[in-house]
Amino acid sequence: MSAHATPPTRHEEQRAIAPIRWSKPSSGTVVALGIWVVGVVVSALVPLLLLGADPYESAPGSRIAIGLAFTLVGSLIMVFSAYLLYRKTDSIGAAILAFVPSFVLAVLGILMTTMKLLYAS
């Protein structure tokens, strides 16, 4: 055996970190995320189109009630998708990340209704 070892070639060099292996989501996870996006659209964009962005702009009471109903239904869709995501991935973190925005949008819908009813001129 020789005292002089040949240097390793470029592809044989040792790495400091292992190569990153990206996880591939299952079809159930993709479906749950798609349902979550539908919930966001229903709970955020539909009331925005119905009532407008200005909280001090008046709107008929029926449109306000419809906007609140869409917000709450969209939030329930998001909660349902969070439950599906939890059942599919067994990760409570993923469910919490999907559930928190649904709660926030439900509270914002209630605040929107309050602002439209009390402060609209």
Side-chain angles (χ1 to χ4, degrees), residues 27-62:
S27 61
T29 303
V30 173
V31 167
L33 290 175
I35 292 171
W36 188 83
V37 169
V38 168
V40 169
V41 168
V42 168
S43 66
L45 292 181
V46 173
L48 179 67
L49 294 174
L50 280 174
L51 302 172
D54 185 13
Y56 299 108
E57 180 184 327
S58 64
S62 62

Side-chain angles (χ1 to χ4, degrees), residues 28-29 31-32 35 78-90:
T29 303
V31 167
I35 292 171
M78 292 169 67
V79 167
F80 174 71
S81 73
Y83 175 73
L84 284 179
L85 193 61
Y86 170 70
R87 295 289 291 175
K88 191 66 182 164
T89 63
D90 289 330

Side-chain angles (χ1 to χ4, degrees), residues 93-109:
I96 289 171
L97 285 175
F99 175 73
V100 169
S102 66
F103 178 75
V104 169
L105 281 174
V107 169
L108 287 176

